[in-house]
Amino acid sequence: MAAADMARTEIPLTEATPVVSVKPVALEAPGRGEDLRVRISAPTTGSELPVVLFSHGFGSSLDGYGPLADFWAAHGFVVIQPTHLDSRTVALPQGDPRAQRLWRFRVEDMKRVLDRLDLLEAAVPGLAGRLDRTRIAAAGHSFGGQTAGNLLGLRVLDPVSGVADDLSDPRVTAGVLLATAGRGGADLTPFAAENLPWLKGTDFAHLTTPALVVAGDKDELPMSVRGPEWLTDPYHLSPGRKSLLTLFGGEHSLGGIPGYEARETTDENPERVALIQRVTWAYLRQALGMEDAGWTAARKWLSEGTNPLGRLESK
């Protein structure tokens, strides 16, 4: 049996439903330089729907990450995707003064979405009254993983102010951090230290909100001298309830989660993507207090040490 077929057998799902998606919905954002553009995807049926706020990787946009956003929405989540200022669709001019604080604008984008849930809900036909605002998770890939992590308690030493503010948000009670940067300092390459100053002073000591960390064991980034192990820091260096899904053979795109035909995917692997879809879905349902049957099954299946796709551990 193929590994993807095994995932379908081992991790049970709710039945998929049609999805409605609306974009772009513009949120006024004083001080940002332009409105915040947002995409909302939701199942056409169901009530008391939990919310996943998803932060894209550097350069992507609200149009990215269909393999995750579509899957989560088809299986009962409302997925909200803002387009951050580093997106290629924004085309921030070279030397723009906002560049040094891209990481901070990203966090503000996420909080703005949470502040304007009423407007976003009203923008989707048939969605009014169907959100469960007590069940909100933040998720993100790469730079977006750090952004989601900030809402969970991860602190960043601001390269402008020199202060590591607490930007956590109590409205967010769970997270999924995909291919997310580790600690800074001596672990960074000269390139990262010079060009990505928001990586210099990451502090995981306050990242207390429950989260699933997803990392590929072949993810060789030009940002750290430690290799793929660096991407597991959000799990190992943070307190509280955390789980780590290690994907065997996974590179930075984790098999293809940035998009169905994303040019940056170097390790295209539909089976790996199918596994991530199911494991993250099961984790979110468990972490948000909905049900834990899928997560229990995933942990049992991926903790035995013989799975060809990956390994799941928790603390």
Side-chain angles (χ1 to χ4, degrees), residues 230-304:
W230 186 59
L231 285 305
T232 67
D233 282 356
Y235 172 74
H236 292 295
L237 301 183
S238 63
R241 297 184 326 170
K242 301 292 187 300
S243 294
L244 172 64
L245 174 63
T246 302
L247 298 164
F248 301 150
E251 299 178 14
H252 199 58
S253 293
L254 303 177
I257 65 169
Y260 295 109
E261 298 179 2
R263 63 184 180 183
E264 60 263 41
T265 297
T266 58
D267 63 331
E268 186 174 4
N269 188 314
E271 293 181 337
R272 188 173 298 133
V273 173
L275 179 69
I276 295 169
Q277 289 171 329
R278 286 184 174 248
V279 173
T280 56
W281 174 85
Y283 175 79
L284 288 167
R285 285 176 62 84
Q286 176 271 148
L288 293 175
M290 302 172 70
E291 59 87 23
D292 60 6
W295 180 240
T296 299
R299 291 185 63 182
K300 180 178 185 299
W301 183 52
L302 290 162
S303 302
E304 296 171 348

Side-chain angles (χ1 to χ4, degrees), residues 3 10 25 65 78 91 221 231:
E10 299 293 336
V25 179
Y65 297 90
V78 174
L221 290 175
L231 285 305

Side-chain angles (χ1 to χ4, degrees), residues 54-58 65 139-145 178-179 252-254 257-258:
F54 188 86
S55 178
H56 63 72
F58 190 93
Y65 297 90
H141 174 246
S142 193
F143 198 2
L178 301 130
H252 199 58
S253 293
L254 303 177
I257 65 169

